[in-house]
Amino acid sequence: MSRKESSPRAQSERLLIKGGCVINDDQSFFADIYVEDGVIKQLGENVTVSGDVRVIEAGGRLVMPGGIDVNTCLQKPYLGTMPADDFYEGSRAALAGGTTMIIDHVCAQQGESLLQAFEKWQDTADKKSCCDFSLHVDVPDWNDTIREELHTLVQEKGVNSFQVFMAYKDVCQLFDAQLYEVMECLRDLGAVVLVHAENGDLIAQEQNKILSLGITGPEGHVLSRPEELESEAVFRAVTLGNSTNCPVYITKVMSKGAADIVAAARKRGSVVFGEPITASIASDGTHYWSKNWAKAAAFVTSPPLSPDTTTPDHLTSMLACGELQVLGSAHCVYSISQKAIGKDDFTLIPEGTNGIEERMSFIWDKGVAAGKMDENQFVAVTSTNAAKLFNLYPRKGRVAVGSDADLVIWDSDKIQTITAKSQHSLGEYNIFEGQEVRGGPQVVLSQGRVVFDNGTLNVQPGSGRFIPRKAFPDYAYQRIRMRNKVSSLHPVSRGVYDGPVCDVPPTPKYLTPAPSAKTSPAKNQPAPVRNLHLSNFSLSGPEYPQASQADENGPRRACHRIVAPPGGRSSITSLG
């Protein structure tokens, strides 16, 4: 429990929201909501409360749980610089868009203690965040020390989600054997494994090739990361999850191919979840070819936005039908001057886009207002599914007695045009500049306090609380537990084989070198072993002059008649 949770809570307003239509992920109904001390105390028709209470007339508008953005990076360092939006600015923007809780990524560097990085992140967020928050922890390396820290973070610090990377070679990329061990460890701890899915080895090769062609601008970013490299990695991540019986959460699903692999795996019974982001449902990768370098660089994120302009609609449709489960923002905003670190080399452009404030309005506009998604599914993908998946439910993600009073009165008729001047983020450029969206928050409550009212923010830095999360969320682990019961492996009971065994010369077992950029390809190579499939037969004669000349110049080899193949003759009838 955080320091602020254990201290006496500040007195919240006593609020009565009247005449609203309550929207949960599974039902809708008209009801009044009474809030006291930051918690929903009463829910029903014609609620009356005595004493001093502030009444908010919803006027038939929708009242829903506040959004939960499970993918933000508000303190991710890059070459000694920090994002333009920190926990204060980022959480302000979140509340202005209807999001009342965030889960930020603790981005530890290789060699850095995960525990120390976590405590640094939590301390900063405690002082700055305006809304409730929790923390994922990224795993940039794998060793016994990290294994011990994972146990401590889950069992003592309230962390139940960790991100691993299949990309960023020589920085934080883990290889398949390491990913396998991490998944086994986190499965036993009851945590969810978040996967950044791209093929890092091939990306490194493609980057070198693109740079060698003289392509240094932002278009090189998407050219060096074709969609197949995301799809391949997603398939591999699902395979690893199946092999270890560990729940897998694919962050930043950016392409149709990757989304389709997630959907197909779920149909086969895999415990996998997919998360597109604001940018991938509301924009596309054609902007990487903009003549304006700063504009093109603003879209640089990984995996990159798809140049296929039909991708946003495809991802929205998959959220609408439940094949993708959560909409994040991946909000990580750098200034134009920070992006310009990579002006001569696209691999040095800091990665990140905005989206924390626009997230809920865009999925309403492209999902609900477009007729693809109902209000209940909107609540599911913006709040409830995340709450269930990361063990915050029903404290978060639901309008119910006993739940936190993180509420949004939603105006479905609101129309707004997105601009950098009107946004609450400190970013100088908004990648959605000029887009018009339908739907937005009218009133936002955080911990039972009105923090946003008709365009006016009223927030305080440090008012957000750290929300610890318990391990083994049912939403992810119910099927995992059942699979452990029904799919345990057992040896076949059979008699001991006592027949002949072929004698073979001892050969050293091939040892796969530990994956490292520093590993020499010449190390740990197996001793040469004769391939019994090769023949001594050679071509010679005038029709094959090269082979004939090679035979004449090379040493003559004696012919051997094979009386019996290696291992002796086989008799199929002797196998019984």
Side-chain angles (χ1 to χ4, degrees):
M1 182 175 291
S2 72
R3 293 179 290 275
K4 281 183 288 188
E5 274 207 315
S6 60
S7 62
R9 293 184 53 166
Q11 288 294 320
S12 301
E13 291 182 278
R14 299 173 72 228
L15 298 172
L16 180 60
I17 301 173
K18 293 188 67 67
C21 180
V22 173
I23 309 294
N24 281 317
D25 67 312
D26 57 351
Q27 59 180 336
S28 305
F29 54 92
F30 283 92
D32 300 337
I33 305 170
Y34 172 60
V35 172
E36 184 178 344
D37 197 27
V39 177
I40 297 174
K41 296 291 187 179
Q42 294 184 50
L43 179 65
E45 295 183 1
N46 302 316
V47 172
T48 57
V49 181
S50 60
D52 185 20
V53 61
R54 177 181 174 182
V55 177
I56 299 176
E57 294 289 347
R61 292 185 176 87
L62 310 180
V63 184
M64 58 186 64
I68 302 173
D69 189 345
V70 299
N71 190 347
T72 66
C73 295
L74 301 179
Q75 195 171 299
K76 182 179 180 180
Y78 182 76
L79 298 180
T81 67
M82 301 300 289
D85 286 342
D86 61 9
F87 274 104
Y88 174 64
E89 303 296 346
S91 61
R92 286 179 76 250
L95 290 168
T99 292
T100 55
M101 181 175 177
I102 61 174
I103 308 183
D104 200 70
H105 282 271
V106 176
C107 305
Q109 305 299 306
Q110 270 195 344
E112 183 181 7
S113 164
L114 299 188
L115 279 170
Q116 291 179 2
F118 169 82
E119 289 168 355
K120 179 173 67 176
W121 246 259
Q122 183 181 355
D123 185 62
T124 302
D126 274 339
K127 297 174 182 176
K128 293 186 176 183
S129 183
C130 304
C131 67
D132 288 351
F133 67 94
S134 197
L135 298 170
H136 307 296
V137 176
D138 295 355
V139 181
D141 203 353
W142 183 239
N143 52 52
D144 289 340
T145 300
I146 289 178
R147 185 191 297 270
E148 293 175 4
E149 289 188 313
L150 296 185
H151 281 75
T152 303
L153 287 165
V154 172
Q155 296 168 358
E156 300 178 16
K157 300 296 183 180
V159 179
N160 71 2
S161 51
F162 299 84
Q163 176 159 286
V164 294
F165 296 87
M166 304 174 82
Y168 306 109
K169 187 175 182 178
D170 300 330
V171 178
C172 57
Q173 176 180 334
L174 300 185
F175 295 87
D176 288 354
Q178 295 171 312
L179 291 168
Y180 188 96
E181 291 185 11
V182 172
M183 288 184 180
E184 283 196 319
C185 174
L186 293 176
R187 175 206 62 206
D188 293 342
L189 291 172
V192 178
V193 178
L194 283 59
V195 181
H196 178 110
E198 290 181 286
N199 189 314
D201 289 334
L202 293 185
I203 288 172
Q205 297 292 331
E206 290 293 315
Q207 287 176 332
N208 291 334
K209 181 179 76 174
I210 298 298
L211 288 171
S212 71
L213 296 175
I215 300 174
T216 61
E219 69 278 11
H221 179 71
V222 65
L223 291 173
S224 65
R225 298 174 115 96
E227 293 182 8
E228 293 83 356
L229 303 192
E230 180 189 2
S231 299
E232 182 276 333
V234 169
F235 185 86
R236 191 155 35 100
V238 171
T239 302
L240 286 163
N242 291 339
S243 298
T244 57
N245 199 24
C246 178
V248 170
Y249 181 97
I250 306 296
T251 65
K252 297 179 73 173
V253 176
M254 305 297 275
S255 65
K256 291 193 290 187
D260 291 344
I261 289 171
V262 171
R266 288 177 60 84
K267 290 176 182 177
R268 294 192 301 268
S270 297
V271 185
V272 59
F273 308 92
E275 171 215 280
I277 63 172
T278 314
S280 64
I281 68 159
S283 190
D284 59 64
T286 59
H287 301 282
Y288 293 121
W289 281 268
S290 171
K291 295 292 186 180
N292 183 328
W293 187 94
K295 175 184 177 181
F299 288 82
V300 170
T301 188
S302 289
L305 292 166
S306 172
D308 181 352
T309 56
T310 65
T311 297
D313 185 68
H314 186 81
L315 297 179
T316 301
S317 296
M318 295 185 75
L319 282 169
C321 68
E323 292 182 328
L324 296 174
Q325 291 69 49
V326 177
L327 179 66
S329 73
H331 186 89
C332 185
V333 174
Y334 293 99
S335 67
I336 293 175
S337 63
Q338 287 174 306
K339 291 276 188 177
I341 293 171
K343 65 183 180 64
D344 299 318
D345 182 348
F346 65 85
T347 66
L348 298 178
I349 299 173
E351 297 176 1
T353 58
N354 61 286
I356 198 170
E357 184 173 352
E358 302 86 358
R359 182 181 71 104
M360 293 182 68
S361 288
F362 264 122
I363 191 60
W364 180 275
D365 179 82
K366 296 182 177 298
V368 182
K372 289 187 173 187
M373 179 186 294
D374 61 25
E375 296 95 336
N376 307 101
Q377 183 66 6
F378 171 81
V379 168
V381 301
T382 59
S383 181
T384 307
N385 287 350
K388 291 178 178 179
L389 184 56
F390 296 108
N391 236 357
L392 297 163
Y393 187 85
R395 177 178 180 179
K396 305 287 187 182
R398 189 162 189 85
V399 180
V401 174
S403 297
D404 283 357
D406 292 350
L407 300 170
V408 177
I409 299 177
W410 190 263
D411 185 356
S412 58
D413 298 323
K414 182 178 181 179
I415 297 177
Q416 54 186 328
T417 300
I418 296 174
T419 65
K421 290 182 179 180
S422 62
Q423 70 184 7
H424 292 85
S425 166
L426 291 184
E428 300 158 282
Y429 188 84
N430 191 309
I431 66 170
F432 313 112
E433 186 77 23
Q435 290 198 48
E436 187 177 87
V437 291
R438 295 159 290 181
Q442 180 182 18
V443 178
V444 178
L445 275 67
S446 175
Q447 303 174 38
R449 296 190 296 268
V450 176
V451 293
F452 180 84
D453 190 356
N454 286 311
T456 302
L457 268 173
N458 180 21
V459 298
Q460 293 180 339
S463 57
R465 305 163 297 179
F466 173 71
I467 307 297
R469 296 169 290 135
K470 294 181 180 179
F472 294 104
D474 284 342
Y475 193 68
Y477 270 90
Q478 278 184 331
R479 284 182 290 162
I480 296 294
R481 283 191 287 264
M482 186 58 65
R483 289 182 182 197
N484 284 334
K485 294 180 180 178
V486 301
S487 63
S488 57
L489 302 179
H490 303 284
V492 175
S493 178
R494 59 167 65 91
V496 177
Y497 175 77
D498 57 1
V501 178
C502 177
D503 292 330
V504 294
T507 57
K509 183 178 180 182
Y510 180 72
L511 301 176
T512 303
S516 169
K518 300 178 181 178
T519 302
S520 169
K523 294 181 181 179
N524 297 324
Q525 293 297 322
V529 179
R530 180 186 172 197
N531 188 338
L532 296 177
H533 295 284
L534 294 179
S535 171
N536 289 327
F537 177 79
S538 63
L539 298 172
S540 61
E543 294 84 2
Y544 304 95
Q546 293 180 338
S548 177
Q549 183 178 0
D551 287 347
E552 292 174 1
N553 295 337
R556 303 286 294 181
R557 299 180 65 182
C559 293
H560 300 281
R561 183 180 179 187
I562 305 300
V563 178
R569 292 191 179 92
S570 62
S571 175
I572 194 65
T573 58
S574 66
L575 297 178

Short mmCIF file of all heavy atoms in Angstrom, two decimals, residues 402-442:
data_model
loop_
_atom_site.label_atom_id
_atom_site.label_comp_id
_atom_site.label_asym_id
_atom_site.label_seq_id
_atom_site.Cartn_x
_atom_site.Cartn_y
_atom_site.Cartn_z
N GLY A 402 -19.64 0.47 -3.63
CA GLY A 402 -18.36 0.01 -3.14
C GLY A 402 -17.20 0.29 -4.07
O GLY A 402 -16.04 0.23 -3.65
N SER A 403 -17.47 0.58 -5.33
CA SER A 403 -16.41 0.91 -6.28
C SER A 403 -15.92 2.33 -6.06
O SER A 403 -16.66 3.19 -5.53
CB SER A 403 -16.90 0.75 -7.72
OG SER A 403 -17.26 -0.58 -8.00
N ASP A 404 -14.69 2.60 -6.47
CA ASP A 404 -14.18 3.96 -6.40
C ASP A 404 -15.05 4.88 -7.26
O ASP A 404 -15.51 4.48 -8.34
CB ASP A 404 -12.73 4.02 -6.91
CG ASP A 404 -11.74 3.50 -5.88
OD1 ASP A 404 -12.16 3.15 -4.76
OD2 ASP A 404 -10.53 3.45 -6.20
N ALA A 405 -15.21 6.10 -6.77
CA ALA A 405 -16.02 7.08 -7.51
C ALA A 405 -15.16 7.78 -8.56
O ALA A 405 -14.99 9.00 -8.56
CB ALA A 405 -16.64 8.09 -6.54
N ASP A 406 -14.59 6.98 -9.46
CA ASP A 406 -13.93 7.48 -10.67
C ASP A 406 -14.97 7.39 -11.78
O ASP A 406 -15.20 6.31 -12.34
CB ASP A 406 -12.70 6.64 -11.01
CG ASP A 406 -11.58 6.79 -10.00
OD1 ASP A 406 -11.66 7.68 -9.14
OD2 ASP A 406 -10.60 6.01 -10.09
N LEU A 407 -15.62 8.50 -12.07
CA LEU A 407 -16.77 8.49 -12.95
C LEU A 407 -16.66 9.54 -14.04
O LEU A 407 -16.00 10.57 -13.86
CB LEU A 407 -18.06 8.74 -12.14
CG LEU A 407 -18.37 7.73 -11.03
CD1 LEU A 407 -19.51 8.25 -10.17
CD2 LEU A 407 -18.70 6.37 -11.62
N VAL A 408 -17.31 9.26 -15.16
CA VAL A 408 -17.35 10.20 -16.27
C VAL A 408 -18.80 10.38 -16.71
O VAL A 408 -19.50 9.39 -16.96
CB VAL A 408 -16.51 9.70 -17.46
CG1 VAL A 408 -16.63 10.66 -18.64
CG2 VAL A 408 -15.04 9.55 -17.07
N ILE A 409 -19.24 11.61 -16.77
CA ILE A 409 -20.51 11.92 -17.42
C ILE A 409 -20.17 12.25 -18.86
O ILE A 409 -19.48 13.23 -19.15
CB ILE A 409 -21.23 13.10 -16.74
CG1 ILE A 409 -21.53 12.75 -15.28
CG2 ILE A 409 -22.52 13.43 -17.48
CD1 ILE A 409 -22.19 13.89 -14.51
N TRP A 410 -20.62 11.40 -19.78
CA TRP A 410 -20.17 11.46 -21.17
C TRP A 410 -21.21 12.15 -22.05
O TRP A 410 -22.40 11.84 -22.00
CB TRP A 410 -19.94 10.04 -21.69
CG TRP A 410 -19.26 9.97 -23.02
CD1 TRP A 410 -19.85 9.82 -24.23
CD2 TRP A 410 -17.86 10.06 -23.26
NE1 TRP A 410 -18.90 9.81 -25.23
CE2 TRP A 410 -17.67 9.94 -24.66
CE3 TRP A 410 -16.74 10.20 -22.45
CZ2 TRP A 410 -16.40 9.98 -25.25
CZ3 TRP A 410 -15.48 10.24 -23.02
CH2 TRP A 410 -15.32 10.13 -24.40
N ASP A 411 -20.74 13.09 -22.84
CA ASP A 411 -21.61 13.83 -23.77
C ASP A 411 -21.40 13.26 -25.16
O ASP A 411 -20.40 13.54 -25.82
CB ASP A 411 -21.26 15.32 -23.73
CG ASP A 411 -22.19 16.16 -24.59
OD1 ASP A 411 -23.06 15.58 -25.27
OD2 ASP A 411 -22.03 17.39 -24.60
N SER A 412 -22.35 12.44 -25.60
CA SER A 412 -22.20 11.79 -26.90
C SER A 412 -22.40 12.76 -28.06
O SER A 412 -22.04 12.45 -29.20
CB SER A 412 -23.20 10.63 -27.02
OG SER A 412 -24.53 11.09 -26.83
N ASP A 413 -22.97 13.93 -27.78
CA ASP A 413 -23.21 14.91 -28.85
C ASP A 413 -22.08 15.92 -28.99
O ASP A 413 -22.11 16.76 -29.91
CB ASP A 413 -24.52 15.66 -28.57
CG ASP A 413 -25.73 14.74 -28.57
OD1 ASP A 413 -25.75 13.80 -29.39
OD2 ASP A 413 -26.64 14.95 -27.75
N LYS A 414 -21.12 15.87 -28.11
CA LYS A 414 -20.02 16.82 -28.15
C LYS A 414 -19.18 16.62 -29.41
O LYS A 414 -18.84 15.50 -29.78
CB LYS A 414 -19.16 16.63 -26.90
CG LYS A 414 -17.99 17.60 -26.78
CD LYS A 414 -17.25 17.34 -25.46
CE LYS A 414 -16.09 18.30 -25.26
NZ LYS A 414 -15.40 18.04 -23.97
N ILE A 415 -18.85 17.72 -30.08
CA ILE A 415 -17.98 17.67 -31.26
C ILE A 415 -16.79 18.59 -31.01
O ILE A 415 -16.96 19.74 -30.60
CB ILE A 415 -18.74 18.11 -32.53
CG1 ILE A 415 -19.90 17.15 -32.83
CG2 ILE A 415 -17.79 18.17 -33.73
CD1 ILE A 415 -20.74 17.55 -34.03
N GLN A 416 -15.61 18.08 -31.22
CA GLN A 416 -14.42 18.87 -30.98
C GLN A 416 -13.39 18.63 -32.08
O GLN A 416 -13.34 17.55 -32.66
CB GLN A 416 -13.82 18.54 -29.62
CG GLN A 416 -13.54 17.07 -29.39
CD GLN A 416 -13.08 16.76 -27.99
OE1 GLN A 416 -12.42 17.56 -27.35
NE2 GLN A 416 -13.43 15.58 -27.48
N THR A 417 -12.62 19.64 -32.36
CA THR A 417 -11.52 19.54 -33.32
C THR A 417 -10.21 19.52 -32.56
O THR A 417 -9.95 20.41 -31.74
CB THR A 417 -11.54 20.72 -34.31
OG1 THR A 417 -12.78 20.72 -35.02
CG2 THR A 417 -10.40 20.59 -35.31
N ILE A 418 -9.40 18.53 -32.82
CA ILE A 418 -8.16 18.35 -32.07
C ILE A 418 -7.06 19.23 -32.63
O ILE A 418 -6.79 19.22 -33.84
CB ILE A 418 -7.74 16.87 -32.10
CG1 ILE A 418 -8.78 16.02 -31.38
CG2 ILE A 418 -6.35 16.67 -31.49
CD1 ILE A 418 -8.55 14.54 -31.47
N THR A 419 -6.43 20.01 -31.75
CA THR A 419 -5.31 20.85 -32.15
C THR A 419 -4.28 20.86 -31.03
O THR A 419 -4.60 20.60 -29.86
CB THR A 419 -5.75 22.31 -32.41
OG1 THR A 419 -6.21 22.89 -31.18
CG2 THR A 419 -6.85 22.37 -33.46
N ALA A 420 -3.05 21.14 -31.38
CA ALA A 420 -1.99 21.25 -30.38
C ALA A 420 -2.24 22.42 -29.43
O ALA A 420 -1.89 22.36 -28.25
CB ALA A 420 -0.64 21.41 -31.07
N LYS A 421 -2.89 23.47 -29.93
CA LYS A 421 -3.15 24.65 -29.10
C LYS A 421 -4.19 24.37 -28.02
O LYS A 421 -4.11 24.93 -26.91
CB LYS A 421 -3.61 25.82 -29.97
CG LYS A 421 -2.52 26.38 -30.87
CD LYS A 421 -3.04 27.57 -31.67
CE LYS A 421 -1.93 28.16 -32.55
NZ LYS A 421 -2.42 29.33 -33.34
N SER A 422 -5.15 23.51 -28.32
CA SER A 422 -6.22 23.26 -27.36
C SER A 422 -5.94 22.07 -26.44
O SER A 422 -6.66 21.88 -25.46
CB SER A 422 -7.55 23.00 -28.10
OG SER A 422 -7.45 21.85 -28.92
N GLN A 423 -4.92 21.27 -26.73
CA GLN A 423 -4.65 20.09 -25.92
C GLN A 423 -4.04 20.47 -24.58
O GLN A 423 -3.52 21.58 -24.40
CB GLN A 423 -3.68 19.16 -26.67
CG GLN A 423 -2.27 19.72 -26.78
CD GLN A 423 -1.34 18.83 -27.60
OE1 GLN A 423 -1.75 17.86 -28.21
NE2 GLN A 423 -0.07 19.18 -27.63
N HIS A 424 -4.09 19.56 -23.63
CA HIS A 424 -3.50 19.79 -22.31
C HIS A 424 -2.08 19.24 -22.22
O HIS A 424 -1.37 19.53 -21.26
CB HIS A 424 -4.38 19.16 -21.22
CG HIS A 424 -5.70 19.85 -21.07
ND1 HIS A 424 -6.80 19.55 -21.85
CD2 HIS A 424 -6.10 20.83 -20.22
CE1 HIS A 424 -7.82 20.32 -21.50
NE2 HIS A 424 -7.43 21.10 -20.52
N SER A 425 -1.68 18.46 -23.17
CA SER A 425 -0.30 17.98 -23.24
C SER A 425 0.63 19.13 -23.58
O SER A 425 0.25 20.11 -24.22
CB SER A 425 -0.19 16.89 -24.32
OG SER A 425 1.16 16.63 -24.66
N LEU A 426 1.89 19.01 -23.14
CA LEU A 426 2.90 20.02 -23.47
C LEU A 426 3.56 19.78 -24.82
O LEU A 426 4.45 20.53 -25.22
CB LEU A 426 3.97 20.07 -22.38
CG LEU A 426 3.54 20.61 -21.02
CD1 LEU A 426 4.74 20.68 -20.07
CD2 LEU A 426 2.89 21.99 -21.15
N GLY A 427 3.17 18.73 -25.50
CA GLY A 427 3.75 18.45 -26.80
C GLY A 427 3.52 19.58 -27.77
O GLY A 427 2.44 20.17 -27.82
N GLU A 428 4.53 19.87 -28.58
CA GLU A 428 4.41 20.97 -29.55
C GLU A 428 3.61 20.58 -30.78
O GLU A 428 3.15 21.45 -31.52
CB GLU A 428 5.81 21.42 -29.98
CG GLU A 428 6.67 21.91 -28.82
CD GLU A 428 8.15 21.83 -29.15
OE1 GLU A 428 8.71 20.72 -29.08
OE2 GLU A 428 8.72 22.87 -29.48
N TYR A 429 3.49 19.28 -31.01
CA TYR A 429 2.79 18.81 -32.20
C TYR A 429 1.83 17.70 -31.79
O TYR A 429 2.16 16.84 -30.98
CB TYR A 429 3.77 18.28 -33.25
CG TYR A 429 3.13 17.95 -34.57
CD1 TYR A 429 2.91 18.94 -35.52
CD2 TYR A 429 2.70 16.66 -34.86
CE1 TYR A 429 2.29 18.66 -36.72
CE2 TYR A 429 2.07 16.36 -36.05
CZ TYR A 429 1.88 17.35 -36.98
OH TYR A 429 1.25 17.07 -38.17
N ASN A 430 0.62 17.73 -32.33
CA ASN A 430 -0.36 16.68 -32.09
C ASN A 430 -0.55 15.90 -33.38
O ASN A 430 -0.88 16.48 -34.41
CB ASN A 430 -1.69 17.29 -31.64
CG ASN A 430 -2.67 16.24 -31.13
OD1 ASN A 430 -2.93 15.24 -31.78
ND2 ASN A 430 -3.20 16.48 -29.94
N ILE A 431 -0.30 14.59 -33.35
CA ILE A 431 -0.36 13.81 -34.58
C ILE A 431 -1.78 13.71 -35.14
O ILE A 431 -1.96 13.26 -36.28
CB ILE A 431 0.24 12.40 -34.39
CG1 ILE A 431 -0.60 11.57 -33.42
CG2 ILE A 431 1.69 12.48 -33.94
CD1 ILE A 431 -0.21 10.11 -33.38
N PHE A 432 -2.78 14.12 -34.36
CA PHE A 432 -4.17 14.10 -34.83
C PHE A 432 -4.65 15.49 -35.21
O PHE A 432 -5.87 15.74 -35.28
CB PHE A 432 -5.08 13.51 -33.74
CG PHE A 432 -4.57 12.24 -33.12
CD1 PHE A 432 -4.15 12.22 -31.81
CD2 PHE A 432 -4.48 11.08 -33.87
CE1 PHE A 432 -3.67 11.06 -31.23
CE2 PHE A 432 -4.00 9.90 -33.31
CZ PHE A 432 -3.59 9.89 -31.98
N GLU A 433 -3.75 16.41 -35.42
CA GLU A 433 -4.06 17.81 -35.69
C GLU A 433 -5.14 17.95 -36.76
O GLU A 433 -5.05 17.39 -37.86
CB GLU A 433 -2.80 18.54 -36.16
CG GLU A 433 -2.96 20.04 -36.34
CD GLU A 433 -2.97 20.80 -35.01
OE1 GLU A 433 -2.44 20.29 -34.01
OE2 GLU A 433 -3.50 21.94 -35.00
N GLY A 434 -6.21 18.67 -36.40
CA GLY A 434 -7.27 18.99 -37.34
C GLY A 434 -8.38 17.96 -37.46
O GLY A 434 -9.40 18.23 -38.11
N GLN A 435 -8.23 16.81 -36.82
CA GLN A 435 -9.28 15.80 -36.91
C GLN A 435 -10.46 16.20 -36.01
O GLN A 435 -10.28 16.67 -34.90
CB GLN A 435 -8.76 14.43 -36.49
CG GLN A 435 -7.77 13.81 -37.46
CD GLN A 435 -7.63 12.32 -37.24
OE1 GLN A 435 -8.62 11.60 -37.13
NE2 GLN A 435 -6.39 11.84 -37.18
N GLU A 436 -11.65 15.95 -36.50
CA GLU A 436 -12.87 16.23 -35.75
C GLU A 436 -13.41 14.93 -35.17
O GLU A 436 -13.50 13.91 -35.87
CB GLU A 436 -13.92 16.86 -36.68
CG GLU A 436 -15.17 17.34 -35.96
CD GLU A 436 -16.15 18.02 -36.90
OE1 GLU A 436 -16.97 17.31 -37.50
OE2 GLU A 436 -16.08 19.26 -37.03
N VAL A 437 -13.74 14.96 -33.87
CA VAL A 437 -14.25 13.75 -33.22
C VAL A 437 -15.57 14.06 -32.53
O VAL A 437 -15.81 15.18 -32.05
CB VAL A 437 -13.25 13.19 -32.18
CG1 VAL A 437 -12.02 12.63 -32.86
CG2 VAL A 437 -12.85 14.24 -31.16
N ARG A 438 -16.42 13.04 -32.47
CA ARG A 438 -17.70 13.13 -31.78
C ARG A 438 -17.60 12.42 -30.45
O ARG A 438 -17.08 11.30 -30.37
CB ARG A 438 -18.80 12.49 -32.63
CG ARG A 438 -19.07 13.19 -33.94
CD ARG A 438 -19.76 12.25 -34.93
NE ARG A 438 -18.85 11.20 -35.40
CZ ARG A 438 -19.19 10.27 -36.28
NH1 ARG A 438 -20.42 10.24 -36.77
NH2 ARG A 438 -18.32 9.35 -36.66
N GLY A 439 -18.12 13.04 -29.40
CA GLY A 439 -18.12 12.42 -28.07
C GLY A 439 -16.96 12.87 -27.22
O GLY A 439 -15.82 13.00 -27.69
N GLY A 440 -17.27 13.14 -25.95
CA GLY A 440 -16.23 13.55 -25.02
C GLY A 440 -16.79 13.72 -23.63
O GLY A 440 -18.02 13.74 -23.42
N PRO A 441 -15.93 13.84 -22.63
CA PRO A 441 -16.40 13.99 -21.25
C PRO A 441 -16.98 15.37 -20.99
O PRO A 441 -16.45 16.38 -21.46
CB PRO A 441 -15.13 13.75 -20.43
CG PRO A 441 -14.01 14.19 -21.33
CD PRO A 441 -14.45 13.83 -22.72
N GLN A 442 -18.07 15.41 -20.23
CA GLN A 442 -18.61 16.68 -19.77
C GLN A 442 -18.15 16.94 -18.34
O GLN A 442 -17.72 18.05 -18.02
CB GLN A 442 -20.14 16.67 -19.83
CG GLN A 442 -20.76 17.98 -19.35
CD GLN A 442 -22.27 17.94 -19.36
OE1 GLN A 442 -22.87 16.86 -19.40
NE2 GLN A 442 -22.91 19.10 -19.33
#
